[in-house]
């Protein structure tokens, strides 16, 4: 039975998350606990008053401009932050489509471990990314590194959680994401505005991640969720006049083509663990990438392994140092992705890199 207008009314009923002025200012000022801010208490009070005004009036995107030609509603006020990211994605797509430009690989370190904050030690994932990068550099392929450990170690480097707009309507999930920044809620410094163009420009993507409790690391999962808009997301926020759920539902019910904005890019996945979960995490990431229309570079490009199986965590790097087979498998994954990228460039069928000698047989 076709949906009626009543059927498309957004469902309501959850309690409001709004807080009062006293609690808001308590939370806002809590970030200035360092004694160096004490002489600025009066200035901070005035800033807190201004922040409360922005919050109380829900000014999510205080700076906007008219969308202009090419959008469904050229007179709609679009966030300048969104426009900036949208233009960066356009440049990245042009770079990707340029047949004369060098091939480009995006290398992603999915570990949250860093030597620059607790725990004070580099991750094995980071080391594997460096090994793979050397293979690409020797082949004169452009590489871009995305070190997700910076979410946990760098000031103002955040990936905010997905708000699941897609589950309300595909048309409500904008490409790129328009949920952030939200200045009234203090949800700023969203790294995804820089990450989206990295994915778009890449011809190949390699993800290296540890297993965290049978799952990916926290920052990698945040990025995965926020890439939902790349798989069927709406490239025109004016068509829904921002986040108007009913309008989006009506658009979807008229027919939605689910554009796959990253379709055709090649991928490699390397997952490592110490006791359990590596196989399921690798399969989960591979399935996710393929569901978005990306293509596996081949069997040797997808690895799930255990390093120092049931050995002490304190000696995990030493275990990796000794595991020459694992290190060569990482290099082979890079070589496989490299070969697949050049095969695709010349319109050839992808190969599984059968000429490579595997460091470990059955």
């Amino acid at each position: 039975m076709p949906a009626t207008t009543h059927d498309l009314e957004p469902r309501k009923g959850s309690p409001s998350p709004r807080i009062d002025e006293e609690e808001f200012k308590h939370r806002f000022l809590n970030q200035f606990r360092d004694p160096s801010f004490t002489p600025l208490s009066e200035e901070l009070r005035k800033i807190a008053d201004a922040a409360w005004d922005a919050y109380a009036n829900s000014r999510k995107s205080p700076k906007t401009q008219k969308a202009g030609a090419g959008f469904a509603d050229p007179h709609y006020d679009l966030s300048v932050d969104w426009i900036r990211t949208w233009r960066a994605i356009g440049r990245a797509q042009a770079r990707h489509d340029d047949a004369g430009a060098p091939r480009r690989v995006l290398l992603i370190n999915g570990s949250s471990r860093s030597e620059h904050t607790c725990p004070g030690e580099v991750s094995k994932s980071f080391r594997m990314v460096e090994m793979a990068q050397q293979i690409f550099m020797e082949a004169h392929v452009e590489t871009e590194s995305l070190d997700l450990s910076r979410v946990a170690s760098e000031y103002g480097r955040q990936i905010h959680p997905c708000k699941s707009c897609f589950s309300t309507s595909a048309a409500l999930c904008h490409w790129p994401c328009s949920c952030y920044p939200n200045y009234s809620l203090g949800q700023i410094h969203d790294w995804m505005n820089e990450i989206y163009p990295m994915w778009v420009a890449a011809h190949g993507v390699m993800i290296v991640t540890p297993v965290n409790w049978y799952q990916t690391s926290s920052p990698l999962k945040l990025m995965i969720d926020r890439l939902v808009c790349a798989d069927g997301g709406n490239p025109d926020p004016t068509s829904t006049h921002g986040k108007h759920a009913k309008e989006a539902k009506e658009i979807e019910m008229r027919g939605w083509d689910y554009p796959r904005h990253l379709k055709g890019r090649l991928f490699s996945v390397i997952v490592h663990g110490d006791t359990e979960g590596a196989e399921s995490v690798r399969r989960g990431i591979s399935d996710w990438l393929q569901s978005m229309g990306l293509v596996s570079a081949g069997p040797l490009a997808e690895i799930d392994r255990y390093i120092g199986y049931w050995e002490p965590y304190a000696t995990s790097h030493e275990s990796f140092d000794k595991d020459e087979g694992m290190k060569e498998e990482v290099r082979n994954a890079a070589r496989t992705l490299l070969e697949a990228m050049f095969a695709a460039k010349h319109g050839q069928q992808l190969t599984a890199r059968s000429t490579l000698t595997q460091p470990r047989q059955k």
Side-chain angles (χ1 to χ4, degrees):
M1 178 182 294
T4 66
T5 302
H6 177 74
D7 292 328
L8 300 181
E9 287 292 336
R11 302 297 180 95
K12 309 288 185 179
S14 62
S16 172
R18 301 294 287 184
I19 56 178
D20 61 26
E21 183 174 359
E22 181 181 2
E23 179 61 19
F24 174 88
K25 290 182 176 179
H26 170 73
R27 297 184 188 183
F28 179 82
L29 292 170
N30 197 45
Q31 63 187 306
F32 304 108
R33 295 282 295 275
D34 190 277
S36 62
F37 291 107
T38 302
L40 303 172
S41 57
E42 181 59 26
E43 288 85 349
L44 287 172
R45 185 191 64 77
K46 295 178 181 178
I47 293 172
D49 288 341
W52 165 252
D53 181 71
Y55 172 80
N57 290 283
S58 300
R59 287 195 294 274
K60 172 187 174 183
S61 303
K63 293 186 177 181
T64 61
Q65 67 181 58
K66 300 299 181 184
F71 289 94
D73 184 353
H75 302 292
Y76 182 78
D77 292 320
L78 276 177
S79 161
V80 297
D81 296 287
W82 187 88
I83 291 174
R84 187 181 301 113
T85 305
W86 172 71
R87 288 173 176 167
I89 285 177
R91 292 191 296 270
Q93 187 65 55
R95 167 67 183 75
H96 173 272
D97 296 343
D98 184 356
R103 299 295 88 182
R104 188 176 184 86
V105 173
L106 176 60
L107 295 166
I108 300 174
N109 168 29
S111 176
S112 56
R113 188 151 63 120
S114 170
E115 67 191 87
H116 301 290
T117 181
C118 47
E121 183 174 49
V122 72
S123 68
K124 294 182 290 295
S125 294
F126 182 87
R127 294 179 60 190
M128 292 179 204
V129 166
E130 287 193 318
M131 291 176 184
Q133 186 172 33
Q134 186 62 36
I135 299 297
F136 295 116
M137 292 177 64
E138 289 172 357
H140 305 290
V141 169
E142 289 187 359
T143 64
E144 186 165 23
S145 293
L146 175 56
D147 184 358
L148 294 178
S149 72
R150 291 184 175 273
V151 170
S153 62
E154 183 178 327
Y155 178 82
R157 186 62 75 191
Q158 299 171 12
I159 298 177
H160 295 294
C162 176
K163 296 182 179 179
S164 301
C165 296
F166 206 106
S167 294
T168 292
S169 168
L172 194 63
C173 182
H174 299 144
W175 167 254
C177 177
S178 65
C179 294
Y180 305 100
N182 186 324
Y183 291 94
S184 69
L185 295 180
Q187 296 169 340
I188 57 174
H189 300 146
D190 187 46
W191 200 5
M192 292 304 299
N193 289 327
E194 299 173 40
I195 290 174
Y196 290 131
M198 293 182 185
W199 277 79
V200 173
H203 299 94
V205 178
M206 174 177 277
I207 298 176
V208 184
T209 184
V211 176
N212 288 6
W213 285 113
Y214 287 90
Q215 303 291 336
T216 67
S217 68
S218 300
L220 179 56
K221 185 59 169 66
L222 285 167
M223 183 189 70
I224 287 173
D225 287 352
R226 291 289 304 286
L227 278 164
V228 64
C229 56
D231 188 46
N234 182 359
D236 187 353
T238 73
S239 65
T240 58
H241 295 95
K243 291 292 182 176
H244 286 271
K246 185 178 179 180
E247 289 185 36
K249 290 186 176 191
E250 291 170 349
I251 291 172
E252 183 180 356
M253 295 308 295
R254 290 197 296 267
W256 190 251
D257 60 356
Y258 298 93
R260 292 185 167 183
H261 302 288
L262 298 175
K263 183 178 180 180
R265 288 157 179 81
L266 294 148
F267 73 82
S268 169
V269 175
I270 300 172
V271 177
H272 62 95
D274 44 50
T275 58
E276 54 207 1
E279 300 93 336
S280 59
V281 171
R282 192 267 305 161
R283 284 194 293 266
I285 296 175
S286 296
D287 288 350
W288 161 65
L289 290 164
Q290 291 181 78
S291 75
M292 292 201 299
L294 281 78
V295 181
S296 172
L300 299 186
E302 297 187 46
I303 301 172
D304 51 76
R305 295 290 182 266
Y306 293 97
I307 300 171
Y309 187 67
W310 282 108
E311 294 177 3
Y313 294 103
T315 57
S316 64
H317 276 282
E318 285 75 8
S319 296
F320 183 51
D321 290 340
K322 298 172 184 176
D323 197 339
E324 296 298 331
M326 175 64 185
K327 288 186 280 189
E328 188 61 17
E329 285 177 317
V330 170
R331 298 185 187 100
N332 278 349
R335 293 173 183 131
T336 303
L337 179 57
L338 181 65
E339 183 181 80
M341 287 167 52
F342 281 109
K345 178 179 181 179
H346 298 293
Q348 300 172 355
Q349 186 175 0
L350 303 183
T351 68
R353 193 73 188 188
S354 58
T355 58
L356 284 175
T357 300
Q358 299 188 54
R360 292 182 279 209
Q361 302 301 318
K362 269 179 101 171

